[in-house]
Amino acid sequence: MLEFDDIQHMLLTRAPAITGRYEFLSFGTPAQGRAWLRRVLPIVQSAAAATASVDSEKRWVSVAFTWNGLRAVGVDEGSLASFPAEFREGMVARARMLGDTGANHPDNWVGGLASPDLHAIAILFARSEEERGRCVKEHDAFLAETHGVKVLSSLDLEATPPFDHAHDHFGYRDRLTQPEIEGTGVEPSPGSGAPLKAGEFILGYDDELGPVHGLPKPDVLSRNGSFMAYRRLQEHVGAFRDFLRQNAATPDEQELLAAKLMGRWRSGAPLVLAPDRDDPALAADRQRNNNFDYGKMDPLGYAIPLGAHIRRMNPRDTAANINRRRMLRRGATYGPPLADASPEDGRERGVAAFVLCASLIRQFEFAQNVWINDKDFHELGNERDPIIGTQDGTFEFKIPKRPIRRKITGLPAFTTVRGGAYFFLPGLRALRWISELGL
Amino acid sequence: MADRQNDAAARIKAAAKEGDWTQPRAMAIPKEGYFELEKGRYGPIFPKTPANYGFTIIAKIKPGREEAVRAHGMTLQTAVDGKPDCLETLKLHYLRWQVFPIEGALYFMYQGIIDTDFDKYTEDAVMIFTSLGVDTVFTNLEGFPEDWKTNPEAFIKFVREHHHPSFVEYGEYPFVSAVEIKKALRIKQSLSEMLDSMQ
Ligand code: HEM
């Protein structure tokens, strides 16, 4: 039985927010950090609370810590040592393996995210801009009273219009796919596979192999928690549109090329089910928009190229051990939208995303290391993920086509990593336990 | 000397990048098993050589377990007979298993030649072995973690700790993947069928 009243809401629910803000925090003394935590604790909702109040609620708050942050609030060394090595090392130390090199290197990250002083993140999702303003003012006021808690940086989230469906700055519809968790009562959409064991995402429950060993100690700290990889990915919208124009003659062909890179039309319709023409009705139909596989329906990638983003990030029936590699995605877009006709304005815009999982090394890091950046993935020879792979102009993208495939060489980088960190998102009981350490 | 070794290594790496299979190559490898430390998810990445990627796992067999180890030869054969693509994910060329004595004790050696850095698919390998039942060969080895069935990380650690990197590897047709070889053979086969049908 999942403890819905203890699990932080963002693990299990998606707030109907259109704005929000992340604040990246650094604590002075452990007592100061805990004083801050005691202040915010009452407004951190559980999944149960968020579900019950979703229609009336205007804002949703989550709190998570880096490993340095857990130490900074006074968690003891024995407990700190019981966390997995990759979390202890942090995202910066894992940069090379993750593909965060060149322009993506932590040396170039912004907002103090690469700093060991990054201790915690406060995540705000808000229903309106007005509500965000109110919450930020409130937090500022209370930070002014709470000594020794510093905001290293913050990031305002903005959904991009039109607001009737979630999409990124490139114009792709998002939030169509996610693994469903056994015990939540949510039926996976057709084609999405069976619900997964909660332990794949939430600590303290059986995972796909059964009981889980070696969880962080003490139990009260790890139970109902999750690990969270944060990625701030700038989207180079101008470069993306230039690329489409340079490589496809007509607007229709540009749409098809955009769809080939993703595996779905910008409407969200999957190419396996709508190979030649967009189908917005299919895109919006939850009963149909995931109802496909690759092995039987598109083995050679004539519809969705083997290297397309969604085919890499979830190879479905064409990967072994797939249930041990799934991830929950949360987050939002940030920065101003770039109007269709506008040239690149040089302002930063992108996706500020969280990947949640029970094991960073087995789920998130595997995805980065193999699915996103292994140039030989699916025997592709010289390709990386066209949307988020580490691209330096030397990789290609192949589009299977009869009689012969199309090969686009010298793919530019459409995204750049501007920051990232590994966080632990504790359950509410664990947050309370931390807040009372030393009392 | 070190410089000359590094130059030669750089040339071979360039050939590897181009996938130049036309010239046979040998590559001497430093004692650590790699030229520069590059960390994969679970530890250092061992480089691609003219014999591609690979591993050599050597471990001592528990007393009296030789027959149990050897019995796994048939387990693997049966598994692959029943489901020929069961090892596909591992991007293998060849596997070799041996038992041999050193000073009265018996050792198990397991070598594989593969097309991907082993670290990338470690968990998949463990899962596949588990599903085929050949994982239990390891329970006959000294130092193998008791809780391996539910603790895949311990399995991975054991494999890493018992891996002995090569100090030289040779390839007559270097850097070619198993998939490319199978593709070439398929083309040859189709070509000869075509020629036959033109008689
Ligand atoms: C700029 C950054 C990114 C953009 C624009 C982007 C865009 C998209 C879009 C439009 C979809 C299809 C909609 C859906 O299936 O819900 C998708 C799917 C997905 N993305 Fe991303 N994504 C980005 C970054 C990431 C990152 C960092 C990860 C994980 C490391 C990731 C993992 C996935 C996964 C797992 C899917 C689902 C695939 C499936 O189940 O079929 N994405 N992405």
Side-chain angles (χ1 to χ4, degrees):
Chain A
M1 181 63 190
L2 295 179
E3 293 176 312
F4 296 103
D5 57 351
D6 194 50
I7 298 166
Q8 284 202 49
H9 66 89
M10 75 178 275
L11 240 173
L12 292 177
T13 66
R14 234 179 210 144
I18 61 160
T19 72
R21 182 177 170 101
Y22 304 154
E23 299 214 323
F24 299 91
L25 305 168
S26 190
F27 303 129
T29 66
Q32 289 165 332
R34 293 193 299 255
W36 174 84
L37 181 57
R38 281 196 296 275
R39 267 304 277 274
V40 293
L41 239 178
I43 59 168
V44 178
Q45 291 119 318
S46 67
T51 305
S53 65
V54 66
D55 292 331
S56 57
E57 196 54 80
K58 294 205 196 97
R59 55 105 181 93
W60 297 265
V61 175
S62 309
V63 173
F65 298 89
T66 62
W67 187 68
N68 287 328
L70 291 175
R71 171 176 281 145
V73 290
V75 172
D76 65 276
E77 292 300 319
S79 167
L80 288 170
S82 69
F83 278 82
E86 70 278 11
F87 175 68
R88 286 185 270 132
E89 288 175 22
M91 194 180 274
V92 170
R94 314 282 287 177
R96 185 159 172 187
M97 178 271 300
L98 295 172
D100 294 344
T101 55
N104 299 322
H105 192 278
D107 284 351
N108 304 319
W109 290 2
V110 297
L113 292 182
S115 159
D117 296 335
L118 173 63
H119 291 156
I121 182 173
I123 301 166
L124 169 75
F125 293 124
R127 208 187 270 279
S128 68
E129 215 169 310
E130 193 191 349
E131 176 64 12
R132 173 176 65 196
R134 190 191 66 74
C135 294
V136 170
K137 247 208 215 108
E138 204 173 290
H139 192 218
D140 283 349
F142 122 62
L143 281 177
E145 298 163 22
T146 322
H147 295 288
V149 180
K150 203 164 80 194
V151 179
L152 292 178
S153 66
S154 60
L155 182 71
D156 279 327
L157 309 174
E158 320 284 349
T160 52
F163 298 126
D164 59 346
H165 67 279
H167 56 101
D168 77 314
H169 288 282
F170 297 144
Y172 293 107
R173 180 171 188 149
D174 205 349
R175 305 191 187 167
L176 295 170
T177 327
Q178 78 161 353
E180 301 300 350
I181 300 173
E182 205 177 276
T184 58
V186 182
E187 262 305 296
S189 63
S192 303
L196 299 180
K197 297 276 187 241
E200 291 296 319
F201 308 102
I202 313 173
L203 305 191
Y205 300 91
D206 283 9
D207 67 16
E208 291 284 311
L209 292 188
V212 180
H213 286 247
L215 290 176
K217 290 180 190 64
D219 195 53
V220 60
L221 177 58
S222 64
R223 187 164 179 84
N224 291 323
S226 186
F227 291 101
M228 206 160 76
Y230 173 63
R231 304 290 275 174
R232 171 167 168 175
L233 293 160
Q234 178 177 7
E235 299 188 281
H236 306 292
V237 177
F240 181 73
R241 291 178 188 163
D242 287 347
F243 172 84
L244 296 182
R245 279 191 289 266
Q246 282 156 11
N247 288 284
T250 66
D252 278 356
E253 284 172 23
Q254 288 167 25
E255 279 307 314
L256 180 60
L257 177 55
K260 291 287 184 184
L261 297 173
M262 178 58 67
R264 291 181 184 268
W265 297 88
R266 287 203 261 204
S267 71
L271 283 169
V272 173
L273 302 179
D276 307 313
R277 223 158 288 107
D278 191 6
D279 184 349
L282 164 68
D285 182 351
R286 187 173 182 272
Q287 293 307 309
R288 292 192 292 149
N289 63 16
N290 264 308
N291 204 2
F292 62 93
D293 68 16
Y294 296 120
K296 285 186 287 299
M297 295 169 78
D298 189 25
L300 300 175
Y302 285 116
I304 299 188
L306 297 168
H309 178 64
I310 68 161
R311 191 160 183 161
R312 282 179 169 267
M313 299 313 303
N314 179 4
R316 296 179 184 229
D317 57 323
T318 57
N321 207 11
I322 189 79
N323 287 352
R324 300 278 286 160
R325 308 273 189 211
R326 305 295 302 280
M327 298 162 276
L328 291 171
R329 294 173 291 142
R330 295 290 185 261
T333 48
Y334 68 93
L338 187 68
D340 277 346
S342 305
E344 176 65 54
D345 57 5
R347 297 174 67 186
E348 191 187 331
R349 53 177 61 80
V351 172
F354 299 100
V355 172
L356 291 97
C357 51
S359 167
L360 291 164
I361 197 169
R362 165 164 58 80
Q363 292 159 288
F364 170 73
E365 291 192 341
F366 173 82
Q368 280 292 138
N369 190 220
V370 179
W371 286 345
I372 297 172
N373 282 323
D374 183 0
K375 65 183 183 51
D376 291 321
F377 176 67
H378 273 344
E379 308 297 329
L380 284 166
N382 192 34
E383 287 193 28
R384 286 177 167 167
D385 187 298
I387 307 290
I388 52 171
T390 309
Q391 299 286 351
D392 58 6
T394 64
F395 296 97
E396 55 204 40
F397 184 70
K398 291 181 280 291
I399 303 175
K401 205 167 132 185
R402 292 190 181 89
I404 51 164
R405 71 182 185 196
R406 172 159 189 216
K407 177 159 117 183
I408 299 176
T409 53
L411 209 69
F414 300 130
T415 55
T416 302
V417 184
R418 302 310 304 274
Y422 286 156
F423 292 103
F424 179 64
L425 181 81
L428 295 187
R429 217 180 301 123
L431 286 178
R432 218 167 299 125
W433 178 83
I434 295 171
S435 79
E436 288 165 4
L437 287 171
L439 283 191
Chain B
M1 172 64 201
D3 276 358
R4 234 180 53 217
Q5 199 175 1
N6 283 346
D7 282 359
R11 253 184 299 118
I12 298 171
K13 277 189 227 166
K17 192 160 187 226
E18 283 161 27
D20 176 12
W21 53 268
T22 54
Q23 181 188 329
R25 303 225 181 226
M27 186 190 231
I29 302 163
K31 191 170 178 188
E32 301 74 42
Y34 46 81
F35 295 88
E36 48 173 331
L37 177 61
E38 187 188 335
K39 283 203 275 179
R41 284 183 301 137
Y42 289 101
I45 293 184
F46 301 102
K48 184 167 184 172
T49 77
N52 292 355
Y53 294 98
F55 55 84
T56 301
I57 295 161
I58 301 175
K60 198 171 178 180
I61 297 173
K62 289 178 184 164
R65 300 288 184 85
E66 178 180 0
E67 285 321 305
V69 169
R70 289 189 184 276
H72 277 83
M74 199 47 90
T75 312
L76 188 58
Q77 178 182 312
T78 310
V80 177
D81 273 350
K83 195 166 179 293
D85 63 356
C86 63
L87 296 174
E88 194 184 327
T89 333
L90 302 181
K91 319 274 174 210
L92 282 160
H93 288 253
Y94 299 107
L95 290 181
R96 301 191 145 186
W97 293 20
Q98 289 94 2
V99 172
F100 52 85
I102 301 177
E103 291 177 355
L106 277 179
Y107 285 78
F108 168 71
M109 177 159 92
Y110 172 20
Q111 290 180 290
I113 293 182
I114 55 185
D115 285 328
T116 180
D117 151 42
F118 188 66
D119 217 48
K120 289 207 161 75
Y121 290 94
T122 308
E123 300 102 340
D124 291 350
V126 170
M127 274 297 281
I128 289 168
F129 291 156
T130 307
S131 69
L132 298 180
V134 291
D135 52 350
T136 51
V137 72
F138 291 98
T139 57
N140 299 301
L141 304 176
E142 287 192 354
F144 193 67
E146 297 289 325
D147 62 349
W148 60 278
K149 250 193 170 59
T150 51
N151 188 357
E153 289 75 21
F155 198 133
I156 292 165
K157 193 156 163 269
F158 177 86
V159 167
R160 277 237 160 229
E161 283 170 0
H162 291 78
H163 168 56
H164 296 263
S166 308
F167 62 87
V168 62
E169 294 196 350
Y170 173 80
E172 180 66 27
Y173 46 94
F175 317 120
V176 186
S177 75
V179 168
E180 285 169 272
I181 291 169
K182 288 208 265 186
K183 258 189 202 165
L185 292 174
R186 250 195 320 271
I187 290 175
K188 182 180 159 203
Q189 189 179 32
S190 326
L191 208 61
S192 55
E193 273 165 19
M194 188 185 85
L195 294 175
D196 282 348
S197 62
M198 284 166 71
Q199 294 303 309

